[in-house]
Short mmCIF file of all heavy atoms in Angstrom, two decimals:
data_model
loop_
_atom_site.label_atom_id
_atom_site.label_comp_id
_atom_site.label_asym_id
_atom_site.label_seq_id
_atom_site.Cartn_x
_atom_site.Cartn_y
_atom_site.Cartn_z
N ILE A 21 -7.56 10.97 1.75
CA ILE A 21 -8.67 10.71 1.10
C ILE A 21 -9.60 9.92 2.05
O ILE A 21 -9.20 9.23 2.73
CB ILE A 21 -8.40 9.97 -0.30
CG1 ILE A 21 -9.77 9.79 -1.09
CG2 ILE A 21 -7.77 8.62 0.00
CD1 ILE A 21 -9.45 9.37 -2.45
N SER A 22 -10.94 10.38 1.92
CA SER A 22 -11.75 9.72 2.73
C SER A 22 -12.50 8.49 1.96
O SER A 22 -13.01 8.67 0.88
CB SER A 22 -12.97 10.72 3.25
OG SER A 22 -13.97 9.88 4.06
N LYS A 23 -12.34 7.19 2.34
CA LYS A 23 -12.85 6.08 1.79
C LYS A 23 -14.26 5.86 2.25
O LYS A 23 -14.71 6.18 3.41
CB LYS A 23 -12.05 4.98 2.11
CG LYS A 23 -10.52 5.14 1.54
CD LYS A 23 -10.52 5.06 0.07
CE LYS A 23 -9.03 5.02 -0.38
NZ LYS A 23 -8.88 5.04 -1.99
N PRO A 24 -15.17 5.23 1.43
CA PRO A 24 -16.46 4.88 1.92
C PRO A 24 -16.35 3.85 3.12
O PRO A 24 -15.46 3.16 3.04
CB PRO A 24 -16.94 4.16 0.75
CG PRO A 24 -16.35 4.64 -0.43
CD PRO A 24 -14.86 4.90 -0.06
N GLU A 25 -17.36 4.03 3.94
CA GLU A 25 -17.40 3.12 5.07
C GLU A 25 -17.70 1.68 4.70
O GLU A 25 -18.66 1.50 3.94
CB GLU A 25 -18.41 3.68 6.11
CG GLU A 25 -18.21 2.98 7.41
CD GLU A 25 -19.29 3.64 8.47
OE1 GLU A 25 -20.36 3.42 8.26
OE2 GLU A 25 -18.73 4.46 9.25
N THR A 26 -16.96 0.72 5.20
CA THR A 26 -17.26 -0.65 4.73
C THR A 26 -17.46 -1.47 5.89
O THR A 26 -16.83 -1.20 7.07
CB THR A 26 -16.02 -1.17 3.99
OG1 THR A 26 -14.85 -1.03 4.80
CG2 THR A 26 -15.86 -0.40 2.60
N SER A 27 -18.20 -2.54 5.75
CA SER A 27 -18.34 -3.43 6.80
C SER A 27 -17.20 -4.43 6.78
O SER A 27 -16.68 -4.85 5.72
CB SER A 27 -19.73 -4.31 6.63
OG SER A 27 -19.87 -5.24 7.59
N ILE A 28 -16.80 -4.89 8.05
CA ILE A 28 -15.67 -5.73 8.11
C ILE A 28 -16.15 -7.16 7.62
O ILE A 28 -17.25 -7.58 7.91
CB ILE A 28 -15.11 -5.76 9.57
CG1 ILE A 28 -14.62 -4.43 9.91
CG2 ILE A 28 -14.08 -6.77 9.66
CD1 ILE A 28 -14.41 -4.17 11.22
N GLN A 29 -15.10 -7.84 6.78
CA GLN A 29 -15.82 -9.08 6.13
C GLN A 29 -16.07 -10.07 6.94
O GLN A 29 -17.25 -10.64 6.75
CB GLN A 29 -14.51 -9.55 5.20
CG GLN A 29 -14.20 -8.61 4.13
CD GLN A 29 -13.16 -9.17 3.23
OE1 GLN A 29 -12.49 -10.14 3.52
NE2 GLN A 29 -12.90 -8.56 2.13
N GLU A 30 -15.45 -10.44 8.01
CA GLU A 30 -15.83 -11.60 8.79
C GLU A 30 -17.08 -11.30 9.66
O GLU A 30 -17.16 -10.33 10.47
CB GLU A 30 -14.68 -12.04 9.82
CG GLU A 30 -15.15 -13.23 10.50
CD GLU A 30 -13.88 -13.91 11.22
OE1 GLU A 30 -12.82 -13.75 10.64
OE2 GLU A 30 -13.97 -14.67 12.20
N LYS A 31 -18.15 -12.10 9.38
CA LYS A 31 -19.53 -11.94 10.23
C LYS A 31 -19.32 -12.52 11.57
O LYS A 31 -18.44 -13.37 11.81
CB LYS A 31 -20.44 -12.65 9.50
CG LYS A 31 -20.66 -12.12 7.95
CD LYS A 31 -21.18 -10.61 7.84
CE LYS A 31 -21.46 -10.27 6.48
NZ LYS A 31 -21.89 -8.87 6.42
N PRO A 32 -20.11 -11.94 12.55
CA PRO A 32 -20.13 -12.56 13.77
C PRO A 32 -20.66 -14.02 13.70
O PRO A 32 -21.45 -14.31 12.83
CB PRO A 32 -21.20 -11.77 14.54
CG PRO A 32 -21.29 -10.53 13.81
CD PRO A 32 -20.94 -10.82 12.51
N LYS A 33 -20.05 -14.96 14.46
CA LYS A 33 -20.33 -16.32 14.32
C LYS A 33 -20.53 -17.04 15.64
O LYS A 33 -19.86 -16.62 16.69
CB LYS A 33 -19.25 -17.06 13.58
CG LYS A 33 -17.92 -17.02 14.22
CD LYS A 33 -16.92 -17.73 13.31
CE LYS A 33 -16.59 -17.14 11.98
NZ LYS A 33 -15.47 -17.77 11.30
N LEU A 34 -21.45 -17.91 15.77
CA LEU A 34 -21.61 -18.73 17.01
C LEU A 34 -20.72 -19.92 16.77
O LEU A 34 -20.38 -20.39 15.64
CB LEU A 34 -23.06 -19.12 17.05
CG LEU A 34 -24.06 -18.12 17.24
CD1 LEU A 34 -25.54 -18.65 17.19
CD2 LEU A 34 -23.93 -17.40 18.60
N ILE A 35 -20.27 -20.39 18.00
CA ILE A 35 -19.44 -21.63 17.90
C ILE A 35 -20.23 -22.78 17.52
O ILE A 35 -21.41 -22.85 17.72
CB ILE A 35 -18.81 -21.87 19.29
CG1 ILE A 35 -19.83 -22.10 20.36
CG2 ILE A 35 -17.96 -20.80 19.76
CD1 ILE A 35 -19.33 -22.53 21.68
N ALA A 36 -19.59 -23.80 16.73
CA ALA A 36 -20.33 -24.94 16.34
C ALA A 36 -20.31 -25.96 17.39
O ALA A 36 -19.33 -26.11 18.17
CB ALA A 36 -19.55 -25.40 15.07
N GLY A 37 -21.33 -26.78 17.40
CA GLY A 37 -21.47 -27.77 18.43
C GLY A 37 -20.36 -28.87 18.13
O GLY A 37 -19.83 -29.48 18.93
N ARG A 38 -20.02 -29.11 16.84
CA ARG A 38 -19.16 -30.18 16.42
C ARG A 38 -18.40 -29.63 15.29
O ARG A 38 -18.83 -28.66 14.53
CB ARG A 38 -19.84 -31.49 16.05
CG ARG A 38 -20.54 -32.10 17.27
CD ARG A 38 -21.10 -33.51 16.82
NE ARG A 38 -21.70 -34.30 17.84
CZ ARG A 38 -22.30 -35.44 17.69
NH1 ARG A 38 -22.35 -36.09 16.47
NH2 ARG A 38 -22.98 -35.99 18.69
N THR A 39 -17.14 -30.06 15.14
CA THR A 39 -16.34 -29.72 13.86
C THR A 39 -15.66 -30.96 13.37
O THR A 39 -15.37 -31.95 14.15
CB THR A 39 -15.27 -28.78 14.40
OG1 THR A 39 -14.55 -28.32 13.26
CG2 THR A 39 -14.48 -29.18 15.47
N THR A 40 -15.49 -30.95 11.98
CA THR A 40 -14.81 -32.03 11.39
C THR A 40 -13.38 -31.68 11.00
O THR A 40 -12.71 -32.37 10.30
CB THR A 40 -15.51 -32.38 10.06
OG1 THR A 40 -15.70 -31.30 9.23
CG2 THR A 40 -16.93 -32.93 10.45
N ASP A 41 -12.86 -30.55 11.59
CA ASP A 41 -11.55 -30.10 11.17
C ASP A 41 -10.58 -31.17 11.72
O ASP A 41 -10.58 -31.68 12.73
CB ASP A 41 -11.29 -28.75 11.83
CG ASP A 41 -12.05 -27.65 11.24
OD1 ASP A 41 -12.41 -27.66 10.13
OD2 ASP A 41 -12.26 -26.55 12.06
N LYS A 42 -9.61 -31.40 10.89
CA LYS A 42 -8.49 -32.29 11.27
C LYS A 42 -7.46 -31.51 11.89
O LYS A 42 -6.95 -30.52 11.21
CB LYS A 42 -7.95 -33.10 9.97
CG LYS A 42 -6.70 -34.00 10.35
CD LYS A 42 -6.25 -34.55 9.20
CE LYS A 42 -5.10 -35.57 9.48
NZ LYS A 42 -4.49 -36.26 8.24
N ILE A 43 -7.14 -31.68 13.22
CA ILE A 43 -6.25 -30.92 13.95
C ILE A 43 -4.84 -31.55 13.88
O ILE A 43 -4.69 -32.75 14.29
CB ILE A 43 -6.61 -30.74 15.47
CG1 ILE A 43 -7.88 -29.91 15.39
CG2 ILE A 43 -5.64 -29.93 16.31
CD1 ILE A 43 -8.68 -29.89 16.79
N LEU A 44 -3.82 -30.84 13.50
CA LEU A 44 -2.38 -31.32 13.39
C LEU A 44 -1.59 -31.05 14.67
O LEU A 44 -0.73 -31.88 15.03
CB LEU A 44 -1.69 -30.59 12.23
CG LEU A 44 -2.31 -30.78 10.75
CD1 LEU A 44 -1.39 -30.04 9.78
CD2 LEU A 44 -2.43 -32.28 10.50
N LYS A 45 -2.00 -29.96 15.37
CA LYS A 45 -1.28 -29.53 16.55
C LYS A 45 -2.13 -28.50 17.30
O LYS A 45 -2.85 -27.79 16.61
CB LYS A 45 0.17 -28.96 16.15
CG LYS A 45 0.87 -28.45 17.39
CD LYS A 45 2.19 -27.61 16.85
CE LYS A 45 2.88 -26.98 17.90
NZ LYS A 45 4.12 -26.19 17.51
N THR A 46 -2.05 -28.42 18.60
CA THR A 46 -2.76 -27.44 19.38
C THR A 46 -1.82 -26.79 20.28
O THR A 46 -0.99 -27.31 21.11
CB THR A 46 -3.85 -28.05 20.21
OG1 THR A 46 -4.73 -28.67 19.32
CG2 THR A 46 -4.51 -26.96 21.08
N ASP A 47 -1.94 -25.30 20.31
CA ASP A 47 -1.11 -24.47 21.33
C ASP A 47 -1.97 -23.78 22.10
O ASP A 47 -3.24 -23.39 21.74
CB ASP A 47 -0.25 -23.45 20.53
CG ASP A 47 0.81 -24.20 19.53
OD1 ASP A 47 1.38 -25.08 20.10
OD2 ASP A 47 0.99 -23.71 18.52
N THR A 48 -1.72 -23.49 23.42
CA THR A 48 -2.50 -22.74 24.32
C THR A 48 -1.90 -21.27 24.25
O THR A 48 -0.65 -20.94 24.42
CB THR A 48 -2.32 -23.31 25.75
OG1 THR A 48 -2.79 -24.53 25.74
CG2 THR A 48 -3.17 -22.41 26.68
N VAL A 49 -2.87 -20.28 23.98
CA VAL A 49 -2.49 -18.85 24.05
C VAL A 49 -2.95 -18.35 25.32
O VAL A 49 -4.16 -18.13 25.61
CB VAL A 49 -3.11 -18.14 22.82
CG1 VAL A 49 -2.75 -16.79 22.60
CG2 VAL A 49 -3.05 -19.00 21.51
N PHE A 50 -2.00 -17.88 26.11
CA PHE A 50 -2.30 -17.26 27.41
C PHE A 50 -2.70 -15.68 27.09
O PHE A 50 -1.96 -14.92 26.30
CB PHE A 50 -1.11 -17.32 28.41
CG PHE A 50 -0.91 -18.73 28.83
CD1 PHE A 50 0.22 -19.42 28.21
CD2 PHE A 50 -1.66 -19.34 29.72
CE1 PHE A 50 0.46 -20.78 28.59
CE2 PHE A 50 -1.49 -20.72 29.93
CZ PHE A 50 -0.35 -21.34 29.49
N VAL A 51 -3.55 -15.19 27.85
CA VAL A 51 -4.09 -13.82 27.55
C VAL A 51 -3.84 -13.05 28.83
O VAL A 51 -4.27 -13.44 29.92
CB VAL A 51 -5.67 -13.83 27.16
CG1 VAL A 51 -6.13 -12.42 26.95
CG2 VAL A 51 -5.88 -14.66 25.99
N TYR A 52 -3.37 -11.78 28.56
CA TYR A 52 -2.97 -10.93 29.69
C TYR A 52 -4.01 -9.74 29.88
O TYR A 52 -4.44 -9.28 28.81
CB TYR A 52 -1.66 -10.49 29.49
CG TYR A 52 -0.48 -11.41 29.70
CD1 TYR A 52 -0.25 -12.43 28.71
CD2 TYR A 52 0.11 -11.60 30.95
CE1 TYR A 52 0.69 -13.41 29.04
CE2 TYR A 52 1.05 -12.59 31.30
CZ TYR A 52 1.31 -13.59 30.25
OH TYR A 52 2.14 -14.49 30.47
N ASP A 53 -4.15 -9.31 30.91
CA ASP A 53 -5.17 -8.15 31.36
C ASP A 53 -4.36 -7.19 32.10
O ASP A 53 -3.82 -7.45 33.29
CB ASP A 53 -6.27 -8.73 32.07
CG ASP A 53 -7.37 -7.76 32.41
OD1 ASP A 53 -7.03 -6.52 32.32
OD2 ASP A 53 -8.37 -8.21 32.81
N SER A 54 -4.01 -6.01 31.46
CA SER A 54 -3.24 -5.04 32.17
C SER A 54 -1.78 -5.51 32.59
O SER A 54 -1.36 -5.08 33.58
CB SER A 54 -3.91 -4.39 33.42
OG SER A 54 -5.18 -3.78 32.96
N GLY A 55 -1.20 -6.38 31.66
CA GLY A 55 0.02 -6.95 32.03
C GLY A 55 0.08 -8.14 32.94
O GLY A 55 1.15 -8.69 33.06
N GLU A 56 -1.15 -8.47 33.42
CA GLU A 56 -1.22 -9.72 34.23
C GLU A 56 -2.02 -10.85 33.59
O GLU A 56 -2.92 -10.55 32.96
CB GLU A 56 -1.81 -9.37 35.67
CG GLU A 56 -1.09 -8.40 36.48
CD GLU A 56 -1.57 -8.05 37.87
OE1 GLU A 56 -2.72 -8.65 38.01
OE2 GLU A 56 -1.18 -7.32 38.56
N LEU A 57 -1.52 -12.09 33.78
CA LEU A 57 -2.26 -13.17 33.21
C LEU A 57 -3.62 -13.31 33.67
O LEU A 57 -4.02 -13.26 34.91
CB LEU A 57 -1.41 -14.50 33.56
CG LEU A 57 -2.01 -15.77 32.93
CD1 LEU A 57 -1.90 -15.80 31.46
CD2 LEU A 57 -1.31 -16.97 33.65
#
Side-chain angles (χ1 to χ4, degrees):
I21 185 170
S22 180
K23 299 290 185 179
E25 193 173 78
T26 58
S27 179
I28 297 164
Q29 289 184 353
E30 182 163 334
K31 302 294 184 181
K33 59 180 68 175
L34 294 173
I35 60 173
R38 293 183 180 180
T39 177
T40 57
D41 291 335
K42 181 180 179 181
I43 296 174
L44 305 179
K45 177 188 175 184
T46 298
D47 295 317
T48 300
V49 184
F50 296 104
V51 177
Y52 288 80
D53 183 346
S54 300
E56 297 183 358
L57 181 65

